[in-house]
Amino acid sequence: MGGKILKRFVPMVAIDVATKQEAIDLFDKLMVKPQPIVKIGMELYYGLGQVIVKEAKKRGFKVFLDLKLYDTSNTVHRAMAAIGRLGIDFTTIHAAGGGEMLIAGLAGLEEGAKEAGVEPAKLLAITQLTSIDEKILHEQQHVDLSLIESVQSYARLAEKVGLAGVVCSAHEIKAIREVTGDDFLCVTPGIRPTHAIKDDQKRVVTPAQARIDGSNAIVVGRPITQSFDPVAAYQEVQKAFLNEEEEK
């Protein structure tokens, strides 16, 4: 990393549950210090809408609203304006939508935040999902680039148009750092503690390895939320990701 001190965020916990009560139960269990950032994805948001964001925010959580917008520029602009008014902290958009769509999304996000008098969220581009591997990329998406080359191309585009960073596999961080600036964020899902199973993720690393690789933030879901003791599981992940003493 060339001695560069990276900005690191507390772990992001994916609240991938089906009901409002399940989500609130997890919010209440995770009222610890430092509080995790909670990631609200499609299942919860499409089912409950803004109410679940408000429930998280009133408990003091920072919110990563992960909706992965991908549509025409005009539609994305309007949708991002609505997201911007929520006062959330991170949100996502698909880099595959192209530069015009990314610029429209960023503009909408900033406009919505200004209307609401809040700070705009950090907009992160989705490069390739962690469920995608080389076989799927070539045989189903018919992309001629390698997975790493595809991710680098999307990361360069995202930085060029002014996005805060990308969501990527920890395995791709080094390659992304080669083509982007020091302050460009790499947020990494596909994180599993050593003892956890992979589920549907194909490219996974541990929290400690993500830290060593240079991740700015990690997203962890089931190993925390489905744990017998979510607080203990979160604290274990947090220590592994943020404890730099392990690197010395």
Side-chain angles (χ1 to χ4, degrees):
M1 301 305 299
K4 172 72 177 179
I5 299 175
L6 295 173
K7 179 176 180 58
R8 288 201 181 97
F9 298 89
V10 294
M12 299 171 166
V13 178
I15 311 296
D16 293 332
V17 293
T19 68
K20 179 180 177 181
Q21 191 57 53
E22 287 176 291
I24 288 175
D25 287 346
L26 283 170
F27 293 159
D28 289 341
K29 287 176 182 176
L30 293 169
M31 294 284 288
V32 296
K33 297 296 182 182
Q35 280 184 303
I37 297 166
V38 294
K39 185 178 85 74
I40 295 171
M42 296 177 187
E43 180 179 14
L44 263 185
Y45 194 77
Y46 291 162
L48 300 171
Q50 296 182 12
V51 65
I52 201 61
V53 174
K54 292 175 181 177
E55 289 287 350
K57 284 177 61 63
K58 78 179 184 182
R59 290 167 172 78
F61 289 105
K62 290 187 175 181
V63 175
F64 175 13
L65 185 58
D66 185 20
L67 300 182
K68 301 180 177 69
L69 268 62
Y70 188 7
D71 210 308
T72 65
S73 295
N74 189 45
T75 297
V76 167
H77 180 276
R78 296 199 311 270
M80 277 294 182
I83 290 171
R85 288 190 286 270
L86 295 176
I88 50 93
D89 301 274
F90 300 84
T91 193
T92 50
I93 188 170
H94 269 286
E100 183 178 325
M101 189 196 78
L102 297 181
I103 291 168
L106 184 59
L109 193 63
E110 292 173 347
E111 289 170 19
K114 185 176 181 180
E115 288 174 18
V118 296
E119 286 293 314
K122 291 178 173 59
L123 185 54
L124 306 171
I126 303 298
T127 55
Q128 290 287 353
L129 301 175
T130 53
S131 57
I132 300 297
D133 57 17
E134 296 278 357
K135 182 180 176 68
I136 294 173
L137 187 74
H138 300 314
E139 295 183 7
Q140 297 179 25
Q141 296 185 352
H142 304 290
V143 174
D144 292 333
L145 297 176
S146 69
L147 192 60
I148 288 293
E149 288 170 333
S150 173
V151 167
Q152 284 181 313
S153 177
Y154 284 142
R156 281 194 299 264
L157 174 62
E159 183 179 46
K160 180 180 178 181
V161 300
L163 272 62
V166 292
V167 178
C168 65
S169 166
H171 294 297
E172 298 153 0
I173 294 173
K174 182 178 179 181
I176 290 170
R177 299 284 186 213
E178 290 173 357
V179 299
T180 59
D182 290 336
D183 295 327
F184 193 68
L185 300 179
C186 289
V187 176
T188 51
I191 304 297
R192 293 290 183 271
T194 305
H195 56 79
I197 61 173
K198 290 184 178 181
D199 301 310
D200 59 346
Q201 306 280 2
K202 290 183 168 61
R203 296 176 283 141
V204 301
V205 299
T206 65
Q209 188 60 52
R211 167 173 46 79
I212 293 166
D213 289 343
S215 175
N216 299 100
I218 58 174
V219 181
V220 187
R222 286 164 283 194
I224 293 174
T225 60
Q226 294 184 6
S227 169
F228 177 75
D229 187 343
V231 171
Y234 163 68
Q235 291 173 332
E236 177 187 349
V237 168
Q238 175 202 312
K239 181 179 178 182
F241 182 61
L242 296 180
N243 185 5
E244 296 183 2
E245 291 300 315
E246 295 178 8
E247 294 181 15
K248 300 177 182 178

